[in-house]
Amino acid sequence: MIRLPPDIDSRYSSGMFFDLGSFSDATALIDADGAACTYRSLADRVGELSGRLRQRSVALCLTRNTVDGVVGYVACMNSGVVPILMDYQTVTPALLKMVATYRPRYIWAPEAHSDLFPGYLREHHLEGFYLLQRTTGDDAPLHDDLGLLLTTSGSTGSPKLVRIAYRNLLANTRSIIEYLGVTGAERSISTLPFSYSFGLSVLNTVLYAGASMVLTEASLFQREFWDTLRRHEVTSLSGVPYTYEMLKRVRFLGMELPSLRTLTQAGGKLSDELCREFAQRCLAQGKRFFVMYGATEASPRMSYLPSEMALSKLGSIGIPVPGGSFEIVGDAGEVVEPGQVGQLVYRGPNVAMGYAESAADLCKGDEFGGVLMTGDLARCDDDGYYFIVGRTKRFIKLFGVRTNLDEVEGLVRAAFPGTDVACAGEDNRLLVYVDDAAVCDAVHDQLAKAMRVTPSAIIVRHVASIPRNASGKIQYAAL
């Protein structure tokens, strides 16, 4: 059985993560054609799939923003199967690498992907998805608390995963519901992939609260998206900084959307200019605008800026989520005074168990102990509001997806043997330096395809040589 926290709501006493039956005829999901799927119908579909799954095994779920994409995830969570979530558009080599690393017993895949995996046979068909099962080999042992596996850097397809316990996910889901005031009347829309921790947290919040979600894979640049939002009277919309840049481009700030009451933003820092524009517009229209801060390792939210403070605390990540706390520590680990800069440390029940880099790691227990060293430099003002001022690690966020610059360098070296490379950048801009002018265009095209980001976010430059010190370490400051 799933090991849920002892203080879990009584309606979850059955040991299922999502108690769909409690909401019966309420609408859970609305598909791209406008058809409503009630919680009762969703429970039936989930039950049909769950009965074919072996508890305490691993499943690779290729997610789509469709009903059956959701069914695969929920069936795993309700049957004690640990899902690895990856977007269905992930390039095939990255998918095969994940399968080779973790040897999942099951793969939940769209029909077009069902022939990609050698050694797996089709076991069950549910509309647009197939359940594939491995034909040979035993399952790796799993820790009893392990509930979910998410990639640490989805844009590079790294097989390094975050090990999230059921209790971590539940703690964060409840805190989000509390500070956003989510009720069963909420109706969200899927602007983000469910393989991404922010997009998944929106789905978890909806299903836990008995609310509803409109499922669409349409872009914000398509009329279809806005027609769907208006027709189904969507009440909340979530996005990363790139989402808000697109919203500005489609003149969202001038739209009349009376049903829309709440906007939330996470996945990287929104520029102060855009933040101010959206906060002012929401204030004028009686809507709420929440800026949030998080990481996959925190399941994923760590802080939020109350909507009424969006202008007075512009640029702040806000205050810790209910149940969590922050400290800012210096180089020696000492807690610094308000106003001073140090590394931001988060503590809370939503902090994940640790990382996995192989199937053997899936039996490990809690290595983080409820403490997350964020790697971000921050300060706290006299009112207890936190501001990010820099990073201690080599990560940037490309349109909301945390990207490890060292892993990007590895991708280039693997694809272009003999080419020396160094990566730098900032949120929404990746700078790649190579010592071979002849491969610049090919490196650009390869990364844009592999990472599935807009090509304009990647800049490849030729340098005569990559600067290194005497010990061979790259001198990034010189670039």
Side-chain angles (χ1 to χ4, degrees):
M1 293 293 289
I2 299 172
R3 289 185 59 180
L4 298 177
D7 63 338
I8 193 169
D9 296 348
S10 59
R11 62 189 172 92
Y12 286 81
S13 59
S14 63
M16 293 188 297
F17 188 85
F18 294 108
D19 186 20
L20 306 174
S22 291
F23 308 114
S24 59
D25 294 326
T27 298
L29 307 170
I30 299 173
D31 69 17
D33 296 324
C37 175
T38 66
Y39 276 89
R40 189 190 308 278
S41 176
L42 180 59
D44 290 342
R45 297 193 196 195
V46 166
E48 180 183 354
L49 181 58
S50 296
R52 299 174 180 272
L53 302 176
R54 178 188 296 183
Q55 284 194 359
R56 307 318 294 157
S57 56
V58 174
L60 173 63
C61 291
L62 305 187
T63 64
R64 293 194 67 173
N65 293 357
T66 63
V67 172
D68 293 315
V70 173
V71 166
Y73 164 67
V74 175
C76 287
M77 296 298 292
N78 272 13
S79 58
V81 172
V82 178
I84 303 171
L85 302 188
M86 297 185 75
D87 188 82
Y88 80 105
Q89 296 184 89
T90 303
V91 293
T92 300
L95 296 177
L96 295 177
K97 187 174 183 179
M98 191 68 73
V99 170
T101 301
Y102 292 99
R103 296 276 293 162
R105 172 165 289 275
Y106 304 104
I107 298 175
W108 182 244
E111 188 168 357
H113 293 66
S114 60
D115 293 324
L116 291 180
F117 306 99
Y120 286 81
L121 294 180
R122 295 178 176 182
E123 290 292 327
H124 182 61
H125 182 238
L126 185 62
E127 295 188 16
F129 272 74
Y130 275 98
L131 177 68
L132 312 178
Q133 183 168 347
R134 179 165 37 84
T135 56
T136 60
D138 297 327
D139 296 329
L142 306 179
H143 193 279
D144 288 343
D145 293 338
L146 181 63
L148 175 66
L149 295 162
L150 294 179
T151 60
T152 60
S153 186
S155 61
T156 61
S158 168
K160 184 177 181 180
L161 301 174
V162 179
R163 296 182 292 112
I164 300 174
Y166 295 108
R167 65 176 183 275
N168 303 145
L169 213 55
L170 280 167
N172 208 226
T173 300
R174 289 172 174 169
S175 70
I176 293 169
I177 289 173
E178 179 179 339
Y179 73 72
L180 289 181
V182 179
T183 69
E186 195 76 34
R187 177 160 289 179
S188 187
I189 188 167
S190 59
T191 51
L192 301 165
F194 297 137
S195 56
Y196 173 44
S197 59
F198 183 19
L200 185 64
S201 74
V202 177
L203 176 63
N204 288 337
T205 300
V206 164
L207 296 181
Y208 192 90
S212 58
M213 172 166 280
V214 178
L215 300 172
T216 179
E217 294 180 323
S219 161
L220 273 65
F221 289 117
Q222 295 177 275
R223 179 185 294 273
E224 175 189 343
F225 178 89
W226 299 104
D227 289 345
T228 298
L229 184 145
R230 290 186 174 94
R231 182 168 67 252
H232 298 297
E233 299 183 321
V234 167
T235 64
S236 64
L237 186 151
S238 302
V240 298
Y242 182 58
T243 308
Y244 282 85
E245 292 171 9
M246 289 194 291
L247 289 174
K248 176 71 179 296
R249 290 172 62 185
V250 300
R251 297 181 173 84
F252 171 86
L253 293 170
M255 294 182 186
E256 293 296 329
L257 301 168
S259 67
L260 192 63
R261 300 192 296 266
T262 304
L263 301 179
T264 64
Q265 182 269 317
K269 181 174 170 51
L270 190 64
S271 71
D272 286 352
E273 178 185 358
L274 269 183
C275 191
R276 181 182 292 107
E277 286 189 62
F278 278 92
Q280 288 175 337
R281 182 62 174 171
C282 286
L283 180 64
Q285 293 188 335
K287 303 182 190 300
R288 305 183 305 162
F289 176 59
F290 290 88
V291 172
M292 305 184 296
Y293 166 79
T296 302
E297 292 88 341
S299 309
R301 300 273 71 78
M302 289 184 276
S303 74
Y304 71 103
L305 182 62
S307 61
E308 64 271 19
M309 307 299 291
L311 289 172
S312 61
K313 296 294 183 181
L314 188 70
S316 172
I317 63 169
I319 56 178
V321 299
S325 65
F326 281 134
E327 283 181 346
I328 297 180
V329 302
D331 293 339
E334 78 283 6
V335 178
V336 304
E337 297 296 321
Q340 295 184 343
V341 173
Q343 182 174 179
L344 186 65
V345 179
Y346 176 80
R347 287 178 169 80
N350 52 308
V351 175
M353 300 168 69
Y355 297 113
E357 296 189 69
S358 69
D361 293 336
L362 302 184
C363 64
K364 291 181 177 179
D366 186 356
E367 296 180 316
F368 286 171
V371 180
L372 182 61
M373 307 294 290
T374 67
D376 286 323
L377 297 175
R379 63 177 177 84
C380 180
D381 70 12
D382 292 335
D383 298 322
Y385 286 79
Y386 291 82
F387 295 78
I388 301 296
V389 299
R391 288 199 175 101
T392 65
K393 298 181 180 179
R394 284 183 34 79
F395 291 98
I396 61 173
K397 286 196 174 181
L398 288 180
F399 307 122
V401 179
R402 189 173 67 167
T403 300
N404 186 326
L405 295 176
D406 293 328
E407 290 180 357
V408 177
E409 291 177 359
L411 288 177
V412 176
R413 292 190 184 101
F416 300 90
T419 298
D420 202 5
V421 59
C423 293
E426 56 192 22
D427 285 355
N428 296 340
R429 186 176 71 156
L430 171 64
L431 299 177
V432 182
Y433 300 88
V434 295
D435 65 349
D436 184 355
V439 303
C440 284
D441 290 344
V443 168
H444 181 274
D445 293 344
Q446 174 77 10
L447 288 178
K449 180 180 179 181
M451 299 172 67
R452 296 193 300 108
V453 297
T454 178
S456 63
I458 302 172
I459 300 172
V460 180
R461 295 175 177 168
H462 170 248
V463 292
S465 63
I466 301 297
R468 297 177 182 271
N469 64 13
S471 63
K473 292 185 178 180
I474 295 174
Q475 300 297 284
Y476 291 99
L479 291 169

